[in-house]
Structures are given as C-alpha cells and as structure tokens.
Amino acid sequence: MVPLIDLSRRWQAHGDEVEKAVARVLDSGTILLGPELEAFETEFAAYCGYDRAVGVASGTEAIRLALVAAGVGPGDEVVVPALTAVPTAAAVCAVGAVPVPADVDPETAGLDPASAASVVSERTKAIVPVHLYGRPVDIDPFLDLGPPVIEDAAQAHGAVSPAASFAVAYSFYPTKNLGGVGDGGAVVTADTGVAAYVRRLRVHGMVPERAYVHDEIATNSRMSEIEAAALRICLGHLDAGNARRREIARRFREAAPHLTFQADHPRHVYHLCVVRVPGRDAFRDGLSVRTGVHYPLSLVDQPAYRHLRRIECPVARAWAAECVTLPCFPEMTDEEIDTVCEAIA
Ligand SMILES: Cc1ncc(COP(=O)(O)O)c(C=O)c1O
C-alpha cells in the first residue's frame, strides 16, 4: 500500500546532518534560547521575505501569541474559516475570544472574503485566513475589512508572499512541509515592535536584559535549540521538497482529469493534495492506496465548536463531506506515484 506519508524517509535522507546538529547543541550546553534559535529565526524570516521571525512552541502558540500581540482578548470576536484544522479556532479560544466561522470558496477552499465580511461586526478584533493545504489565499480583500489580519500559514511554508498583514503564523509540526523533530512554530512579521513583544511573551513576559523582571502576565512558549537546529537543516531542503510535491500533484491531475482537485496556484506547495469526490467513502474503499480526510467536519459541525455557528457555511460543509487527501510527500518513489496515478485514473 502506498502510505499517505512516511516521515521515516525524511530522516533517512537527512538524519546524518540532524544527528550532527543535535550533538552540536548538546555539546554547547545551551538547550533553550541560544544561537540555533537565533540563526533559524534570521534564516526563516529571510526565506519568508520578512525581517523578523520569532520561534515559539507550536503553530497553535504562534496564532495565540499573534492574537495577544494584536490586543485580542476576552469577549472579542475573530473571524476564521469554517474549513480548517481545529487549532486555528482553538488558539482564538485560548485568548478568551470567540472564533466566528465564515464560509470558504468552493474552488480554493480558502476563506471567502464576502462571507467573512458578512460576519464582521464592531466586536471583530482580528481575521485569520488559512492558507489551507498549502494553497496561498489572496490577503488583500481581508485587509480591506478593517481588523488586523493574522495569516495561518501552518500548512504553507514557501507559498505565502509578504503582505500587509499583522503577522503570519507557522507550525513546524513534524508532518508539515517544514517539519521539525518535535513541536514548534513561528510568528513572522514586518513589525519590529510586534516581534519584540512576542519574544517577551514567549518567556513569561520577562523584560529583555532584566532577568526575572516581568512586565506582562504570560507563559512559556519556547522552541528548543534541537528543534531549531533540525529546522535549519530542513529549511535548506524545503524548496526541493515543495518542487517535488508540485510535480507529484501535476502528475495526479494529468492522470485523473475527471477528478475535482483544489484549484491550483503557481505558489501552491501541496502540503496536502486534496480532491473532492461525491460518495467519498466508496471511492476511498475502492482505492489500493492510502488516503486521508482533511477534515471530516467543518468547524460549524465540530462538537466542541458548533455552538459558535452564526451562518450556515454550506461550502465548507460540502468540502468536509467530499474531501479526499491523496499521498503527496517529497520522498515518494516514482513507482509509488505511478501506482497512485493508476489508482485514480
Ligand atoms: C491550519 C493549521 N493551523 C494551525 C495548526 C497548529 O499547529 P501545531 O500543531 O503546531 O500547534 C495546524 C497544524 O496542526 C494547522 O494545520
């Protein structure tokens, strides 16, 4: 069976480099907040086309800390797409705010600006579009709505062009296009003040250069030196991996022109290669390759979030009912790609 993803192959390919980096960190004696993190932040910011990146404990934390930095707090509302990984909304709840789901576009699966506009009110303090499955969303229409825009780019390393948003939040969960050896995330921003604030928030609100003096109530959201060292190595392989993912998706489209793929985009990085199939379960059962479902429920149907529904979000619900994720990862062999092509043809 062709697997949906096989992370062991990533570490078989880059394991030697990572092992050396881990040894370097352990030998240095600096396990947290050291030179590896600083170097990774500089390199990742440059890769994203920004001046500043702040490494944090996870992608969920990156969204949460960006929301705090934007001044979002208890009782505020934040517009999120109804089709996303649940952490987009969980991060909003973590600051005491209310996620308000809006519908997505039928072809791109990205947040629909008109639907987002329909739920914006004077209580809306941020909008969080998601670059879902690795396909970049056009941010400009959301900027026009007024509240600060925080981009959820957890699935879109290499896809996102710099925009006038408040911040961009990344996850380095191991399965991501840029995945680490544990949890990790980053807040990327053009605003040096926002970057400095998030840097403070990730260490209990401690004042820089004044050890154990705290001017904010915050918590711990640090990224380890080992994670940062591994990410620096993987960053060097990211563009090649993304190019391979694009090539795999191109081959699938060519083999199965009858399938409805998520709309393509020149910067799509295919974190997930997703098709829509009515009668999804029978389709999956009949395939000789493993597939996934991202996601089986829209936010407005998730048991923990459905009470937040303001509008129906029929498009997100249709995506959730029909989406099928095909195997698409850089280390797939040519034979495995052929097998998937034959299976879906
Ligand atoms: C769209 C999206 N947002 C946020 C997250 C949260 O990232 P993490 O798992 O690193 O907290 C994820 C990953 O799970 C995600 O896919």
Side-chain angles (χ1 to χ4, degrees):
M1 269 279 204
V2 178
L4 188 58
I5 184 169
D6 180 357
L7 277 186
S8 69
R9 298 186 200 176
R10 185 185 291 175
W11 302 120
Q12 275 157 24
H14 310 310
D16 287 353
E17 286 175 280
V18 173
E19 275 173 29
K20 279 193 201 117
V22 171
R24 186 173 74 227
V25 170
L26 297 179
D27 284 348
S28 78
T30 303
I31 303 301
L32 288 165
L33 301 176
E36 296 290 344
L37 178 59
E38 233 174 85
F40 172 66
E41 289 176 339
T42 304
E43 291 159 10
F44 188 60
Y47 179 83
C48 297
Y50 280 83
D51 288 341
R52 298 281 183 286
V54 185
V56 298
S58 70
T60 311
E61 278 292 277
I63 302 168
R64 184 184 71 81
L65 293 171
L67 288 165
V68 173
V72 179
D76 294 337
E77 293 186 359
V78 176
V79 178
V80 298
L83 185 74
T84 185
V86 142
T88 313
V92 175
C93 297
V95 302
V98 179
V100 179
D103 213 352
V104 299
D105 182 272
E107 278 156 27
T108 68
L111 182 59
D112 174 3
S115 183
S118 78
V119 294
V120 166
S121 73
E122 70 284 353
R123 290 188 300 279
T124 308
K125 292 297 181 298
I127 300 172
V128 185
V130 179
H131 301 290
L132 197 68
Y133 309 144
R135 187 189 191 282
V137 164
D138 179 9
I139 292 303
D140 290 345
F142 302 107
L143 296 171
D144 294 342
L145 298 179
V149 173
I150 294 168
E151 300 174 57
D152 180 344
Q155 303 185 351
H157 316 77
V160 180
S161 308
S165 55
F166 182 81
V168 191
Y170 285 90
S171 161
F172 306 119
Y173 182 80
T175 59
K176 301 299 194 221
N177 291 31
L178 180 56
V181 291
D183 274 315
V187 176
V188 175
T189 173
D191 187 322
T192 50
V194 170
Y197 187 31
V198 173
R199 234 174 262 285
R200 225 157 68 233
L201 290 173
R202 76 177 170 190
V203 285
H204 305 285
M206 194 156 76
V207 179
E209 318 303 339
R210 294 193 70 196
Y212 308 117
V213 176
H214 304 257
D215 65 357
E216 286 282 339
I217 297 174
T219 186
N220 158 22
S221 191
R222 295 179 290 245
M223 177 196 287
S224 83
E225 284 288 280
I226 287 177
E227 173 79 353
L231 287 170
R232 292 181 69 194
I233 290 159
C234 294
L235 183 58
H237 301 290
L238 178 58
D239 281 342
N242 284 346
R244 174 79 171 158
R245 289 171 188 269
R246 274 192 203 104
E247 172 60 14
I248 295 168
R250 190 195 63 73
R251 296 269 316 274
F252 292 171
R253 283 174 191 279
E254 209 174 79
H258 57 286
L259 286 180
T260 306
F261 287 78
Q262 180 194 25
D264 200 10
H265 186 285
R267 291 182 67 109
H268 199 321
V269 293
Y270 288 97
H271 171 58
L272 299 172
C273 182
V274 176
V275 293
R276 281 181 65 166
V277 187
R280 184 224 348 254
D281 294 344
F283 173 82
R284 292 184 74 209
D285 288 347
L287 279 188
S288 53
V289 300
R290 289 206 197 285
T291 56
V293 174
H294 298 85
Y295 296 92
L297 293 175
S298 76
L299 269 186
V300 295
D301 291 312
Q302 285 287 355
Y305 293 89
R306 60 182 165 219
H307 63 285
L308 300 169
R309 183 170 79 218
R310 298 267 171 85
I311 57 172
E312 284 301 314
C313 303
V315 183
R317 287 174 142 168
W319 271 95
E322 296 181 353
C323 59
V324 179
T325 306
L326 302 173
C328 180
F329 56 100
E331 300 81 13
M332 273 177 89
T333 64
D334 290 339
E335 292 71 34
E336 286 173 329
I337 297 168
D338 288 341
T339 303
V340 177
C341 287
E342 280 161 28
I344 61 176

